């Protein structure tokens, strides 16, 4: 809207400058006063954008002022006054609703007719002006109708897009709720079946220990301890089923906050090239989360430095890359154990890869996942 106002201002300044040069006599005080009021209204019009009735009144006043300013002297009509009237009509049709714009056109037509009647124009000139005026009004109202339909279509599209986003959010929430219900059901099943049976087994071991000979006491105690550990692990698994599933990029942020608070690690986290906006699947997000978690866990276990750097990026939206690195002694060596192998297998399963690099100063874990196929499917 600001750009259109500047365009109207530039056109008006050009036409008015040329029109004043065509005035045959010196500008009198009435013309100067009328011009000042016209320009004052022009600059104040944008303030009343939400009040079409006032805008209609101002456009009608500008039409009357234009008639006063360029009233024919010695029956000579300033040809550029016709352009100024045309600009007024164009602005009225552009800014106002159809009915109010038509009202301004009627007033404008009356003012222009009075100028023509007071001039000494020939019949061909009057015919040409009438024909041009008719074509101008027809074109402007046709544009107004097209612009109105385009605006309505855009509003409908925006409403449909909002509804689509709302339905998508509801679908995601429903999927998360369904997944959480399934986890709760599995947790209850484990608790009611495996947990109860392990509890019964521990009680049987205790009874058997009381009745057993002295030489078998140690073996029975070991078996009982193993059963108790199994029960504890089962309870931990059931407890984790009851907690919301945490994964993806948000899970990485929570993990970083937890490590900083509980393990006194300083983690520098950076996001580049719109990494948060890439369309990752749930499996890809969870693979990234587990990879970063494993890398940070290895830093805590094997590095004396309590500082790490984590970065995400997605250049061009075709690939997602993450990097975890920390300072490492130059003499240190590493062997790819179970954690790194599991990390590599998990990333390769979702179309990614893992790279481990060690130089004189840093130990670096890099991972990448290609997103080209997913982008094509979205198109």
């Amino acid at each position: 809207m600001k750009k259109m106002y500047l365009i109207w201002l530039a056109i008006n300044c050009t036409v008015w400058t040329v029109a004043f040069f065509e005035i045959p006599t010196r500008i009198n005080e009435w013309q100067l006063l009328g011009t000042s009021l016209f320009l004052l209204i022009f600059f104040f019009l944008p303030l009343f954008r939400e009040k079409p009735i006032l805008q209609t009144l101002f456009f009608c006043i500008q039409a009357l002022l234009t008639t006063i300013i360029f009233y024919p002297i010695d029956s000579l009509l300033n040809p550029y006054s016709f352009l100024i009237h045309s600009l007024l009509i164009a602005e009225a049709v552009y800014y106002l609703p159809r009915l109010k714009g038509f009202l301004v056109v009627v007033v404008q037509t009356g003012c222009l007719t009075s100028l023509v009647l007071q001039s000494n124009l020939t019949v061909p000139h009057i015919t040409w002006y009438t024909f041009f005026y008719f074509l101008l009004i027809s074109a402007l109202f046709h544009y107004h109708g097209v612009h109105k339909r385009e605006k309505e279509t855009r509003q409908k599209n925006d409403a449909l897009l909002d509804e689509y986003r709302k339905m998508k959010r509801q679908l995601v929430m429903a999927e998360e709720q369904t997944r959480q219900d399934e986890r709760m059901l599995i947790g209850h099943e484990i608790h009611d079946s495996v947990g109860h049976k392990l509890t019964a087994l521990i009680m049987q071991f205790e009874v058997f220990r009381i009745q057993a000979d002295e030489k078998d006491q140690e073996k029975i105690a070991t078996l009982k301890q193993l059963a108790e550990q199994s029960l504890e692990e089962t309870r931990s698994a059931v407890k984790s089923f009851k907690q919301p599933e945490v994964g993806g990029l948000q899970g990485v942020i929570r993990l970083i906050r937890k490590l900083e608070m509980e393990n006194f690690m300083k983690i520098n986290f950076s996001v580049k090239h719109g990494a948060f906006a890439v369309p990752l699947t749930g499996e890809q997000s969870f693979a990234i989360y587990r990879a970063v978690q494993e890398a940070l866990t290895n830093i805590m276990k094997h590095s004396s430095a309590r500082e790490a750097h984590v970065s995400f990026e997605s250049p061009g939206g075709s690939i997602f890359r993450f990097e975890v690195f920390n300072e490492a002694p130059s003499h240190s060596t590493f062997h790819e154990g179970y954690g790194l192998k599991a990390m590599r297998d998990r990333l390769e399963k979702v179309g990614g890869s893992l790279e481990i690099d060690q130089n004189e100063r840093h130990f670096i874990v890099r991972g990448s996942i290609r997103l080209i196929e997913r982008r094509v499917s979205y198109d």
Side-chain angles (χ1 to χ4, degrees):
M1 189 63 70
K2 181 180 178 181
K3 183 179 179 180
M4 285 303 304
Y5 177 77
L6 294 176
I7 292 175
W8 287 118
L9 177 61
I11 296 175
N12 274 276
C13 290
T14 303
V15 175
W16 274 84
T17 302
V18 178
F20 271 111
F21 278 113
E22 289 294 325
I23 295 179
T25 59
R26 295 180 60 185
I27 301 175
N28 57 43
E29 58 273 9
W30 290 106
Q31 290 175 323
L32 186 61
L33 178 61
T35 304
S36 301
L37 290 175
F38 184 96
L39 296 177
L40 185 65
I41 293 174
F42 180 83
F43 285 112
F44 274 99
L45 267 175
L47 300 177
F48 302 95
R49 187 179 304 160
E50 304 298 329
K51 298 179 180 179
I53 297 178
L54 286 178
Q55 281 191 323
T56 304
L57 179 61
F58 286 148
F59 279 123
C60 294
I61 294 174
Q62 283 184 313
L64 296 174
L65 290 174
T66 306
T67 306
I68 295 173
I69 296 169
F70 296 102
Y71 195 81
I73 300 175
D74 298 332
S75 299
L76 294 176
L77 177 66
N78 189 332
Y80 292 99
S81 64
F82 193 81
L83 288 180
I84 294 176
H85 280 274
S86 301
L87 284 175
L88 278 176
I89 294 174
E91 290 182 60
V93 173
Y94 181 82
Y95 287 110
L96 296 176
R98 181 180 290 271
L99 182 61
K100 294 179 175 59
F102 182 75
L103 178 62
V104 175
V105 170
V106 171
V107 176
Q108 195 80 17
T109 303
C111 296
L112 192 58
T113 303
S114 66
L115 291 177
V116 172
L117 293 176
Q118 295 299 322
S119 62
N120 57 356
L121 293 176
T122 61
V123 175
H125 286 158
I126 295 176
T127 304
W128 188 90
Y129 280 130
T130 304
F131 182 69
F132 175 80
Y133 195 70
F134 174 76
L135 290 180
L136 176 66
I137 294 176
S138 301
L140 288 174
F141 277 105
H142 176 71
Y143 165 78
H144 187 276
V146 173
H147 180 70
K148 182 180 179 181
R149 288 193 294 271
E150 182 184 355
K151 184 178 180 180
E152 291 176 352
T153 303
R154 185 165 55 249
Q155 290 176 347
K156 290 180 181 178
N157 291 338
D158 292 340
L160 289 174
L161 182 60
D162 291 339
E163 189 66 23
Y164 166 74
R165 290 173 176 171
K166 186 185 298 184
M167 293 178 62
K168 191 174 181 180
R169 285 195 295 268
Q170 292 176 353
L171 179 61
V172 171
M173 292 175 62
E175 289 179 353
E176 291 180 354
Q177 185 62 40
T178 303
R179 189 183 300 113
Q180 188 64 22
D181 292 342
E182 291 177 352
R183 290 163 61 88
M184 291 286 292
L185 180 62
I186 294 172
H188 285 306
E189 290 292 334
I190 294 175
H191 180 270
D192 294 340
S193 59
V194 181
H196 289 175
K197 289 180 181 179
L198 286 174
T199 303
L201 180 62
I202 292 173
M203 295 177 62
Q204 292 293 331
F205 273 131
E206 181 63 22
V207 173
F208 183 60
R209 186 186 65 82
I210 295 174
Q211 298 176 356
D213 297 333
E214 187 69 26
K215 62 179 181 178
D216 298 326
Q217 291 287 332
E218 185 177 353
K219 292 181 180 181
I220 297 174
T222 303
L223 293 174
K224 180 185 175 183
Q225 183 180 5
L226 182 61
E228 289 175 346
Q229 291 176 355
S230 301
L231 179 61
E232 186 63 30
E233 291 177 359
T234 302
R235 289 173 177 172
S236 300
V238 171
K239 187 181 297 184
S240 66
F241 273 121
K242 294 181 180 180
Q243 295 177 352
E245 184 179 357
V246 179
L249 306 185
Q250 294 182 353
V252 173
I253 296 176
R254 295 181 183 179
L255 174 65
I256 290 173
R257 293 179 59 185
K258 181 179 179 181
L259 292 176
E260 286 185 330
M261 289 186 297
E262 297 180 2
N263 299 281
F264 303 102
M265 286 188 66
K266 180 181 179 182
I267 301 176
N268 299 306
F269 182 59
S270 62
V271 180
K272 305 175 183 177
H273 304 294
F276 278 135
V278 295
L280 293 169
T281 64
E283 192 175 4
Q284 289 173 334
S285 299
F286 197 72
I288 294 169
Y289 169 78
R290 288 301 187 192
V292 175
Q293 183 185 41
E294 180 66 25
L296 293 176
T297 302
N298 288 338
I299 292 174
M300 291 171 48
K301 290 181 178 178
H302 306 296
S303 176
S304 58
R306 308 301 293 177
E307 182 176 359
H309 301 263
V310 180
S311 64
F312 292 156
E313 63 177 347
S314 179
S318 61
I319 190 171
F320 182 91
R321 287 202 296 255
F322 68 89
E323 184 176 275
V324 182
F325 68 94
N326 68 298
E327 295 183 359
S330 58
H331 62 275
S332 63
T333 57
F334 80 96
H335 300 282
E336 188 169 321
Y338 174 78
L340 293 177
K341 290 180 180 178
M343 186 194 307
R344 187 187 303 276
D345 293 340
R346 189 179 289 113
L347 287 173
E348 290 178 351
K349 185 178 179 181
V350 296
S353 61
L354 182 69
E355 178 185 351
I356 301 172
D357 185 21
Q358 184 180 18
N359 53 37
E360 297 180 355
R361 297 181 57 188
H362 298 113
F363 183 82
I364 305 172
V365 177
R366 296 190 185 94
S368 62
I369 297 177
R370 294 191 176 276
L371 306 172
I372 296 178
E373 295 179 0
R374 185 167 174 81
R375 282 186 67 191
V376 172
S377 64
Y378 268 80
D379 295 338

